[in-house]
Amino acid sequence: MFPDFNIFAGKRGKAVEEHEISKVVVKRLPRYYRYLGDLLEKKVERISSGELSELMGVTASQIRQDLNNFGGFGQQGYGYNVKYLYNEIGKILGLDKVYNMIIVGAGNLGQALANYVKFEKRGFWIKGIFDVNPKLKGRTVRGIEIRMTDELPQFIREHEIQIAALTLPKSGAEVIAPILVENGVKAIWNFAHTDLHVPPNVIVENVHLSESLMQLSYNLNHLEITDTEKN
Amino acid sequence: MFPDFNIFAGKRGKAVEEHEISKVVVKRLPRYYRYLGDLLEKKVERISSGELSELMGVTASQIRQDLNNFGGFGQQGYGYNVKYLYNEIGKILGLDKVYNMIIVGAGNLGQALANYVKFEKRGFWIKGIFDVNPKLKGRTVRGIEIRMTDELPQFIREHEIQIAALTLPKSGAEVIAPILVENGVKAIWNFAHTDLHVPPNVIVENVHLSESLMQLSYNLNHLEITDTEKN
DNA sequence: TAGATTGTTAATCGATTAACAATC
DNA sequence: TAGATTGTTAATCGATTAACAATC
C-alpha cells in the first residue's frame, strides 16, 4: 500500500547543490536526529511532519522547511520514512564519518567527557588526554594515558587530530588554542569561559556552562506574572 | 569632566515596567556580563557601545537595543559606566540572589559541577548530591555527602532547594524530574539527553552536550567552499 | 482513484541594523 | 558650548507560519 522504501534512494540527487544554511536550522538538526532515533528504537517506520511536530512541540511547517534546506526526504501522501530520514540527517551532521579527538584539560569535566562512551559510538574517537599538571602525568582515564601539553604538537600531527575539547581554565585555553590550530586541529569544542580567537577556517563550538546557569537564573526570576502571583 | 557616578542611581526607575524579553536577548546577557566583568578587572571605568561592540564582535546598535529592554543604563556623550552596568546586568540575571541547589547524578559530570567552585561565588549553593547507585552512598565530593535518591523529597523540602542539576542518563532523569517538581524544585538544569516535561511554572534549561558536538561536526563538514578548496 | 501529506510560495512576524534627534 | 554618544524610531533583513498546488 505504501511506496517501497527503495524509492527514497533516488531522491538525494536534488539536494546536492550547496547553499548556506542558517545557524538556527543547524541547531535544530540534532534534535530532529534524536527524536528520529527514539522513533527508530520504537520500530516506528514512517512519520508525517504533523505527527512529528506534535511530538516535538514545533510547527509542521518548520519541520518541512528545515528539511527542505537539504533536499526532499519525504513523499506526498506518505510522510517520511523514519530510518531513511534518520540516516540522512546523520550524514548531514557528518556522523557517518570518523574523527580523531583529544581532550585538553584532565580535570573533572575533561574526565567526564573522556568517560562518555557514546561519543565513540558516533564516530568521535578520543585519542589522547592532556593536562598541564605534572601530578596527573601517566594516570589513565578509561585506558587513555594523560600526557603533558608539551607533547601536543607531535601528538596532533602523528594522530591526525581534527577535534580538540578544551576543558581548561580561561587562561590555559587561550595559550593552548593557537598551538592546537598551528598543528592542524580543525575544530575546538570550547568549555573555557572565554571567546577563542582562531582563523576563519577553524570551527569553535562553545559550551559556556556558567552562561547557561545564568539564563536559568534569569528565567527563574522572570516567570510569567500569573505564575509568580500564584505563590 | 565626566558626570559623577551617582547620577546613574536615579535612572533605574524608568526600567521598572515589565514586558516580555525575547529569548535571544536573554541569551546574550551573560556574555555582556562576562565582558563587563573582564573590563572591570582591567579597571576600565567607562565604555561606549561602539567600543564594546568592537570588543565583542557585535553591532553597537544591538548592544544599545538589548540594554534598553531593561532601561537606560548609559548616558549620552559618556557611554556606560562599567561597574554600574555590570551590577545592573547581574541583578537582571538574578545574580544578586542566593539559590539552594542540588545535583542529581554523581557521575563524572555531576562531580565536575560539584567541584566547580565559581558557581558558589555567584550565589548557587550546592546543598546536596544524589545518586541511585548504592555504592556511592556516603562518599563525599568537596565535602558534600552523596545521598540516595529516595531521600530527595525530604531533603528538597527541608533545604528549600530551588534548582536541581540533572546529570543522570535519560531514563533516570525522566523518573526523577517529577519527584523534584512535586517537592518544590523551581528550575531544572538538564544535562540528560531528553526533553523533560514539566509544568509551565518550572524552568528547564537544557545542556545537550552531544547535540553541541553534532553542531561542531556539521560545521566541520560545511566550511565555506573557499576554505575546503584550500586543502 | 481519492485522500493524505509533502514541497514550496506567499504572508506574517520578529530581530537586526541604520539613522538621527535628544541630551549629557 | 561643542562633541560625543545614547535612546529610540524607522528601514531592512531573516525566520516562522500559513496556505495550497503538486503528487504520491
Side-chain angles (χ1 to χ4, degrees), chain B residues 142-160:
Chain B
R142 204 153 60 86
I144 307 159
E145 187 192 340
I146 299 176
R147 292 178 165 80
M148 294 296 98
T149 49
D150 55 12
E151 295 176 45
L152 274 170
Q154 202 194 345
F155 191 94
I156 291 168
R157 289 172 185 279
E158 270 179 17
H159 294 80
E160 294 181 319

Side-chain angles (χ1 to χ4, degrees), chain A residues 22-92:
Chain A
S22 102
K23 254 181 115 172
V24 53
V25 172
V26 173
K27 207 168 181 168
R28 283 194 291 262
L29 289 179
R31 188 155 178 263
Y32 293 138
Y33 189 73
R34 173 157 54 87
Y35 273 84
L36 289 163
D38 290 349
L39 288 167
L40 201 56
E41 265 184 22
K42 287 180 193 151
K43 312 271 187 208
V44 177
E45 253 187 35
R46 58 169 283 251
I47 194 155
S48 69
S49 59
E51 292 168 306
L52 189 57
S53 81
E54 208 156 315
L55 222 57
M56 296 184 64
V58 299
T59 65
S61 232
Q62 182 165 80
I63 293 174
R64 294 203 300 275
Q65 288 277 29
D66 283 354
L67 296 179
N68 277 97
N69 278 301
F70 304 96
F73 300 127
Q75 197 169 99
Q76 285 95 333
Y78 172 85
Y80 300 87
N81 179 287
V82 173
K83 190 172 191 175
Y84 174 71
L85 187 56
Y86 176 79
N87 286 143
E88 288 304 306
I89 295 180
K91 284 185 214 165
I92 292 165

Side-chain angles (χ1 to χ4, degrees), chain A residues 27 35 93 116 193 195 217, chain B residues 27 35 93 116 193 195 217:
Chain A
K27 207 168 181 168
Y35 273 84
L93 290 169
Y116 193 63
H193 300 163
D195 296 323
S217 144
Chain B
K27 207 169 180 166
Y35 273 84
L93 289 169
Y116 193 63
H193 300 163
D195 296 323
S217 145

Side-chain angles (χ1 to χ4, degrees), chain A residues 102 149-164 175-188 199 202:
Chain A
I102 55 171
T149 50
D150 55 12
E151 296 177 43
L152 272 170
Q154 203 194 345
F155 191 93
I156 292 169
R157 290 172 184 279
E158 272 179 16
H159 293 80
E160 294 181 317
I161 302 300
Q162 295 133 293
I163 303 174
V175 174
I176 295 292
I179 298 172
L180 300 174
V181 171
E182 270 167 39
N183 290 283
V185 163
K186 285 288 166 223
I188 297 177
V202 175

